[in-house]
């Protein structure tokens, strides 16, 4: 029983580390040439590094037919756009101040982050 | 080729795996007749093609070059709406098909379990039988539940978790445990040798059913925006080089002359240059009566020409039309969230991993403290916890209601800028109304010219009109209009200066002329004598008297009256009945203000308020603890509108500055304010119901699934029931939001 309990606690620790503590690698974006696909419940890439003070366009391609994937919100930038299915949608961003900007679907099941640095 | 026939099209390329494909695709497209340039962005897999080639020709060129291409027509909202509906319909059918297959296995298995009461593995015959069922369940998982497992795996790789993760883990655990029972029964205590294949199949079937029904219900929440988009005409009949022809609406240029016949939609915004007609603007303004239009009047895209044939010159096309701006604003507002939804957002962000931790903890608790067979209880409780938890209900609670509420308001000619404005509007305790143009029509007429000198009326009117010719103030327009009607021509003026909140002064034909209120006369030391009483009498009749002085002597009092809108009294009463304190602000003199306030039933009014002091009045009300709404024309009242908790811009028809305030009332009636507040209150109530339901569902459901009731009542939730509850929790939220569609905003 001790082993099972330890395995269970290890699993809980793994969940905490995997979903909250681990920071995925950021993809650096210097100009407008990056395509973010929305497929199978995720944005890919989901962590994007952008330069500070430059207006840039994020380009999304939604391949996921689930209605959950339709809306893209960037609350800090007051952006909410619908992503058409199987079409490219460009979303211009204002020049960013240093910081992190989350982007996600309406229910926050699809999540990504922009880091301006 | 005319510039108007040049167009830019975007093609999304599938199958371009290497940068060398770029040249091949570009050159294939450049060979298509009519293409002037083709440039591919490899990273985005998009080619931008300029020219007049048809989309079909471009796609076939891409296909011939060995790639798959799709026209990217996201700019064309109408097409995109049709495409969205087609895509949703295809997805809906897929979900129903997946559901049918999963339930076709799940229901007989569940009936078998209920009738026979045994789903255990004890004999070799049972092992073979259940192995076949396990394989069939695996087929269902692959065929009907593939999207859950792929989504869960993608999320997991991405260090995120979503609803798919919970479903995949729940159903996967149930299936895996059952297969262990089948293949390695000796690892499991004899009492716990149950299989849960029916749970896996039923959960997949029920969740697919829930998603399908939710998709349908979601479609209904966006009916308002669909209706607005549907107002857009597809073609316009333009007159170019003396010839009339129908062209796609996107090719209409500014200054094009457009003919619209009776019964047709106005395709773009413009000014009538020929003809006379009545136009139905109700779809944009909520105003049911058609509006008469003749030369010089503006017409708006999406409205319907009811009677005569007109020709108008296009002034705003494409995304600049009032209709396009309305659609844009409604869309943005529908997707914004009021602050009330923020807590749900924070919870959603942590929800899934927390549920996973609860599932593991619950399994450990059963294994440590549960009765025999503990392993079976642990598996059932962990599966039920994973399956019953529904982050979607929480996430959908706010946006679905906002979507319907904002759409409902738009149908009544009320444009709400964002979720925050929607929430604050529901809490307004004091409404400040500007008098001119808000309570009154804003188109005053000269009613009296009381001459107090030896000058004649024509000269007085000439000087007054000359002074006011450059002003856009409604009172000034009344003077200019009156002079025009009487055929009086303007003189020439020099040294003109406007004294804010007081009046104007200038030199006309060598004479120093002053025109304004009592304050101006007193400041300039003009003797008014008994004429103040005359002015007061005029003001008591709700007229606005203005003093007119020439060479430091009072020459006349000109009174202007601005009729009160026919429904202002009823609308103000409606606000007051709803417990809102109504306050009137005006730059007009006290007596006129009092007369108007008394007529419309307002006891709280402030007269002779300078434009910059309007903000101070708002601040004073806020300091007194009021949540203040301010209604004005959106241009002159901009600072006060910005300072108020909610600014309402009121307009007449589609000329109103749409983006100038938190809430824009497309028709001039004050009922729009009451409608906006009513719809905000109804939406907030709906959001609260949804949030309460979603919170309670999860707060009660998860512990129940974990088995907290078992020690007392001996009840443990079946994973199948958990699956059904989860599938229908989101549907309940969306359906409750849809109830808002029945709300009647115009209660008058």
């Amino acid at each position: 029983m001790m082993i099972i309990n330890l395995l269970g606690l290890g699993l809980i620790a793994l969940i905490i580390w995997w979903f909250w503590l681990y920071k995925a690698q950021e993809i650096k974006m210097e100009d407008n040439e990056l395509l973010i696909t929305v497929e199978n419940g995720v944005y890919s890439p989901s962590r994007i590094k952008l330069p500070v003070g430059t207006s840039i366009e994020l380009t999304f391609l939604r391949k996921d037919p689930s209605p959950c994937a339709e809306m893209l919100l960037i609350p800090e930038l007051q952006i909410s756009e619908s992503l058409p299915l199987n079409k490219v949608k460009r979303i211009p961003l204002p020049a960013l101040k240093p910081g992190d900007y989350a982007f996600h679907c309406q229910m926050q099941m699809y999540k990504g982050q922009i880091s301006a640095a | 080729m005319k510039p108007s026939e040049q167009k830019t099209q975007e093609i999304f390329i599938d199958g371009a795996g290497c940068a060398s494909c770029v040249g091949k695709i570009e050159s294939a497209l450049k060979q298509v007749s009519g293409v002037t340039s083709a440039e591919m962005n490899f990273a985005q897999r998009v080619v931008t093609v300029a020219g007049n080639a048809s989309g079909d020709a471009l796609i076939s060129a891409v296909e011939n070059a060995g790639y798959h291409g799709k026209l990217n027509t996201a700019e064309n909202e109408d097409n995109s709406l049709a495409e969205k509906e087609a895509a949703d319909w295809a997805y809906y059918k897929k979900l129903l098909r997946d559901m049918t297959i999963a339930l076709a296995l799940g229901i007989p298995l569940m009936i078998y379990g209920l009738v026979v009461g045994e789903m255990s593995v004890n004999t070799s015959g049972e092992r073979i039988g259940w192995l076949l069922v396990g394989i069939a369940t695996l087929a269902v998982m692959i065929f009907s539940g593939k999207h859950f497992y792929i989504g869960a795996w993608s999320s997991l790789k991405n260090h995120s978790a979503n609803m798919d993760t919970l479903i995949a883990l729940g159903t996967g655990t149930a299936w895996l445990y059952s297969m262990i029972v089948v293949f390695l029964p000796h690892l499991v205590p004899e009492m716990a040798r149950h299989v849960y294949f029916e749970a896996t199949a039923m959960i997949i079937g029920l969740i697919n059913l829930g998603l399908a029904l939710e998709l349908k219900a979601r479609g209904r929440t966006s009916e308002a925006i669909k209706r607005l988009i549907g107002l857009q005409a597809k073609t316009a009949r333009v007159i170019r080089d003396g010839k009339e022809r129908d062209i796609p609406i996107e090719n209409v240029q500014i200054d094009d002359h457009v003919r619209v016949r009776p019964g047709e939609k106005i395709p773009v915004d413009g000014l009538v240059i020929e003809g006379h007609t009545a136009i139905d603007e109700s779809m944009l303004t909520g105003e049911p009566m058609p509006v008469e239009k003749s030369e010089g009047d503006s017409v708006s895209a999406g409205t319907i020409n009811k009677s005569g044939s007109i020709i108008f010159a296009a002034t705003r096309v494409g995304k600049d039309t009032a209709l396009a701006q309305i659609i844009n604003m409604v869309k943005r507002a529908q997707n914004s969230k009021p602050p009330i939804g923020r807590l749900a957002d924070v919870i959603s962000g942590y929800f899934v991993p927390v549920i996973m931790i609860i599932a593991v903890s619950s399994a450990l608790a059963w294994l440590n403290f549960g009765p025999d067979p503990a392993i079976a209880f642990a598996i059932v409780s962990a599966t039920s916890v994973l399956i019953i938890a529904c982050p979607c209900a929480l996430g959908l609670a706010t946006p679905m209601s906002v979507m319907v509420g904002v759409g409902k308001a738009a149908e009544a000619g009320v444009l709400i800028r964002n979720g925050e404005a929607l929430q604050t509007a529901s809490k307004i305790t004091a409404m400040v109304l500007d008098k001119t143009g808000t309570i009154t029509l804003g188109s005053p007429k000269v009613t009296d010219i009381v001459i107090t000198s030896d000058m004649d009326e024509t000269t007085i009117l000439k000087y007054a009109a000359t002074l006011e010719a450059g002003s856009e103030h409604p009172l000034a327009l009344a003077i200019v209009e009156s002079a025009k009607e009487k055929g009086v021509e303007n003189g020439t003026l020099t040294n003109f200066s406007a004294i804010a909140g007081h009046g104007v002064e200038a030199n006309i034909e060598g004479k120093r002329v002053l025109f304004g209120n009592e304050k101006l006369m007193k400041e300039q030391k003009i003797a008014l004598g008994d004429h103040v009483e005359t002015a007061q009498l005029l003001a008591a009749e709700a007229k606005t008297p203005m003093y007119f002085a020439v060479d430091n002597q009072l020459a006349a009092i000109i009174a202007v009256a601005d009729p009160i809108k026919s429904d202002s009294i009823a609308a103000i009463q409606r606000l007051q009945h709803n417990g809102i304190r109504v306050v009137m602000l005006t730059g007009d003199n006290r007596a006129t203000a009092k007369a108007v306030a008394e007529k419309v039933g307002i006891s709280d009014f402030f007269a002779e308020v300078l434009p910059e002091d309007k903000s101070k009045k708002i601040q004073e009300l806020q300091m007194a603890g009021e949540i203040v709404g301010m209604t004005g024309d959106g241009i002159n009242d901009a600072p006060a509108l910005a300072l108020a908790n909610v600014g309402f811009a009121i307009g007449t028809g589609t000329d109103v500055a749409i983006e100038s305030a938190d809430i824009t009332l497309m028709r001039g009636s004050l009922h729009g304010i009451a409608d906006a507040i009513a719809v905000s209150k109804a939406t907030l109530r709906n959001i609260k119901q949804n949030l309460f339901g979603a919170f309670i569902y999860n707060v009660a459901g998860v512990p129940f699934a974990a088995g907290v009731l078992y020690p007392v009542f001996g009840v443990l939730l079946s994973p199948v029931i958990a699956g059904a509850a989860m599938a229908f929790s989101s549907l309940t939220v969306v359906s409750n939001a849809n109830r808002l569609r029945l709300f009647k905003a115009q209660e008058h």
Side-chain angles (χ1 to χ4, degrees), chain A residues 1 5 18-19 22 32 35 40-43 46 59 61 67 70-71 80 85 87-88 90 106-108 111, chain B residues 10 12 43-44 46 72-73 83-84 150-151 154 156 158-160 162 215 335 337 345 349 367-368 399:
Chain A
M1 206 51 226
N5 283 337
W18 188 261
F19 293 109
Y22 180 87
N32 291 335
L35 182 71
N40 297 327
V42 292
Y43 298 116
S46 62
T59 309
L61 172 64
E70 190 182 347
M71 292 310 306
S80 75
L85 187 62
K87 283 181 183 176
V88 167
R90 296 201 179 89
Q106 269 181 336
M107 294 180 283
Q108 298 216 42
K111 280 192 270 189
Chain B
E10 287 187 342
F12 172 68
Q44 297 177 352
V46 170
N72 186 22
T73 53
E83 284 166 12
K84 177 182 153 33
I150 293 175
S154 303
L156 196 67
N158 223 27
H159 294 266
S160 65
N162 56 28
L215 186 70
N335 295 317
K337 272 190 190 167
D345 273 359
L367 287 170
N368 281 287

Side-chain angles (χ1 to χ4, degrees), chain B residues 458 461-462 480-490:
Chain B
T458 307
L461 206 50
K462 176 183 170 182
V480 174
E481 198 57 37
S482 176
K484 250 190 215 168
E485 277 171 17
K486 292 181 179 166
V488 177
E489 287 193 4
N490 288 356

Side-chain angles (χ1 to χ4, degrees), chain B residues 640-707:
Chain B
L641 287 180
L643 193 70
N645 298 86
V646 185
F648 291 73
I650 194 162
T652 44
T654 49
D655 290 340
V656 64
I658 286 168
E659 302 246 348
S660 60
D662 298 315
I663 295 180
T664 306
L665 309 174
M666 298 295 291
R667 67 198 155 117
S669 167
L670 290 184
H671 277 297
I673 304 172
D675 287 346
I677 293 173
V679 84
S680 302
K681 282 188 173 168
T683 308
L684 259 288
R685 204 164 42 237
N686 197 270
I687 291 173
K688 284 177 191 168
Q689 290 162 353
N690 277 347
L691 284 174
F692 179 78
F695 272 115
I696 289 296
Y697 168 80
N698 282 299
V699 166
V702 172
F704 184 33

Side-chain angles (χ1 to χ4, degrees), chain B residues 431-439 582-589 593 596-597 602 604-621 628-632 637 640-641:
Chain B
M431 176 57 68
V432 178
L433 303 174
D434 184 42
K435 179 179 76 73
T436 308
T438 302
I439 296 174
V582 181
V583 180
M584 186 182 88
L585 281 190
T586 177
D588 223 333
N589 69 74
V596 173
I602 296 176
D604 226 351
F605 68 92
F606 298 95
E608 297 170 33
V609 181
L610 298 172
E612 60 268 29
D613 289 342
K614 285 186 179 171
S615 307
K616 282 186 197 156
K617 292 289 173 198
I618 301 275
Q619 264 174 333
E620 282 170 22
L621 286 166
V628 184
M630 161 81 201
T631 309
D637 306 309
L641 287 180

Side-chain angles (χ1 to χ4, degrees), chain B residues 30-53:
Chain B
K30 280 175 187 165
Q31 282 165 25
V32 178
S33 164
V35 170
T36 51
S37 76
E39 281 178 32
M40 180 162 174
N41 180 326
F42 178 65
Q44 297 177 352
R45 310 288 198 274
V46 170
V47 199
T48 307
V49 186
N52 65 349

